[in-house]
Amino acid sequence: MGANTAKEHHLVPQYWLRAFAEDGHVLGRWRTGAEHRTPVRRAAVARHFNTDPLAEGERRVALETYLDHQVDGPCAPVLRALREGRAALAEVQDAVVLDALAWQVVRTRVFRSFDEQVGRHLFPAVWAVEEVGFHEERLGRPLSEAERLEVFWAAVHSAPDASAVDDPRSALRASIRGFERTRSVLAAPGRRLVLLHSAEPLLILPDSGVALRRKDGSFSLTPPLLPKTIEVFAPLSPTCLLISTPRTHYSPRKGLTRKVAAKANAGAVAWCQDAVYRLPSMPWPPSHRLTEDPLTVRPPQLSAVPAQHPPGPTPSHPDIRNADLRAILEQLAAVRS
């Protein structure tokens, strides 16, 4: 790990950012409208982003250490060879590329914002379901359907703010579980990776690293975050675009066209949380404008009706395949002594 890894955590790995740098600097444009040169080491960073606030010593940065050693370390030479044209996708391990893409979806402020927004929107309903259970426990009998609905809606409208029961580790657990779900989606049958090159710089890089494009062409954050039809745009350099897609209309033979680059840049502008970076010598791509506010999750419309069928199976978290990740997740789930 670098000297600042314990405090300053890169949301986009430095090896990725360097592809958009000249003389060790990228040119950043912020949602505020400001634009200035930024050293790679200061671009797309957040202080203590992956720090376990309830641990001590090296355990505090267990997730950041894992990302540094077991994700960025193996992925850096592979993505570098792809973007520089020294390797084709068929010549590298799919697993390494998919790991890099999946982690880049969940190791950012955008994913954390998504997770927090969904949590806030759903908290009143979760609170209300638990309140129904508490009532039945106190009464010692099941509630009637009418009583259940009455208790549910009363609890929805009187639920406290979600921050009242905030768990400081939940965001870190969400990123690990989010990685497993994302990795499964990206590895599903029918999806493919496509690598497109251009002769001139065309691409900009969001502080999210990647952008998710929905089937309707939008870059919405609305759940589900990763439907089967989602496309993932990952600009590996100003001249190289990696795409995960279920579609077959991208042609590596035609390369990175201005039309495809415009889609990727539109995604970068939509999916950044604070800033978009580019090669300092590259002009800002025309017709792309940063809005003042990042993406938001639309509040769901809650409804409740008497149960018509027995409840289905309780949703479960995906299995964590990597033993080191399982250990980190267990640490993050442990009760503080």
Side-chain angles (χ1 to χ4, degrees):
M1 289 191 301
N4 290 327
T5 302
K7 295 180 181 178
E8 304 292 346
H9 299 170
H10 267 86
L11 311 179
V12 180
Q14 290 194 67
Y15 77 81
W16 199 318
L17 285 158
R18 288 190 192 103
F20 292 82
E22 291 169 336
D23 299 323
H25 290 72
V26 291
L27 187 58
R29 178 176 289 201
W30 276 257
R31 289 193 179 276
T32 59
E35 184 172 293
H36 52 80
R37 285 168 59 91
T38 306
V40 165
R41 63 183 176 81
R42 300 295 307 144
V45 297
R47 194 170 179 84
H48 288 304
F49 192 74
N50 291 316
T51 297
D52 179 350
L54 304 184
E56 301 295 336
E58 291 184 2
R59 288 166 60 85
R60 282 176 60 80
V61 290
L63 179 56
E64 183 68 7
T65 302
Y66 176 88
L67 291 173
D68 188 27
H69 292 177
Q70 298 198 41
V71 180
D72 298 345
C75 291
V78 174
L79 293 196
R80 187 178 301 119
L82 290 175
R83 79 184 185 221
E84 293 176 357
R86 292 185 287 107
L89 281 169
E91 299 168 351
V92 302
Q93 275 191 309
D94 271 5
V96 176
V97 180
L98 292 177
D99 280 353
L101 276 185
W103 272 113
Q104 199 51 56
V105 170
V106 302
R107 66 191 290 178
T108 63
R109 286 192 186 279
V110 178
F111 179 80
R112 188 160 296 184
S113 173
F114 166 83
D115 182 59
E116 291 170 351
Q117 290 181 67
V118 170
R120 286 199 304 272
H121 291 325
L122 295 184
F123 179 77
V126 174
W127 177 272
V129 168
E130 292 185 353
E131 191 68 17
V132 170
F134 292 149
H135 270 69
E136 291 182 330
E137 190 176 322
R138 281 199 298 268
L139 292 173
R141 65 169 177 85
L143 297 177
S144 68
E145 289 299 345
E147 289 172 328
R148 287 170 66 87
L149 289 176
E150 182 180 355
V151 171
F152 176 86
W153 285 115
V156 165
H157 296 308
S158 62
D161 188 89
S163 61
V165 292
D166 189 36
D167 177 350
R169 287 169 154 175
S170 64
L172 301 180
R173 294 197 301 271
S175 65
I176 293 174
R177 290 170 174 151
F179 163 73
E180 288 291 346
R181 294 185 189 279
T182 303
R183 184 66 169 69
S184 296
V185 170
L186 298 183
R191 293 193 73 88
R192 66 183 187 129
L193 293 170
V194 182
L195 195 67
L196 304 177
H197 291 276
S198 65
E200 60 179 315
L202 297 175
L203 298 171
I204 56 180
L205 179 71
D207 58 10
S208 58
V210 299
L212 307 186
R213 185 173 187 265
R214 305 178 87 83
K215 190 176 182 179
D216 64 3
S218 72
F219 296 97
S220 168
L221 257 190
T222 298
L225 187 66
L226 287 163
K228 292 179 180 179
T229 54
I230 203 79
E231 290 187 321
V232 182
F233 286 104
L236 300 186
S237 79
T239 61
C240 179
L241 180 65
L242 177 66
I243 306 173
S244 169
T245 178
R247 305 172 71 183
T248 59
H249 63 297
Y250 296 106
S251 170
R253 182 177 55 81
K254 292 181 181 178
L256 176 61
T257 64
R258 290 187 176 276
K259 183 177 180 180
V260 175
K263 289 181 183 179
N265 289 340
V269 167
W271 265 75
C272 82
Q273 189 70 12
D274 299 310
V276 175
Y277 303 101
R278 70 183 193 273
L279 213 61
S281 62
M282 176 183 163
W284 181 260
S287 73
H288 294 298
R289 186 177 67 85
L290 276 173
T291 58
E292 291 184 5
D293 300 310
L295 292 171
T296 57
V297 177
R298 292 197 301 270
Q301 295 295 318
L302 282 180
S303 63
V305 295
Q308 303 297 316
H309 306 284
T314 303
S316 59
H317 292 299
D319 292 331
I320 307 300
R321 294 166 294 119
N322 182 281
D324 291 328
L325 265 188
R326 285 200 303 272
I328 295 171
L329 192 58
E330 287 170 6
Q331 171 185 317
L332 295 171
V335 177
R336 190 180 186 185
S337 57

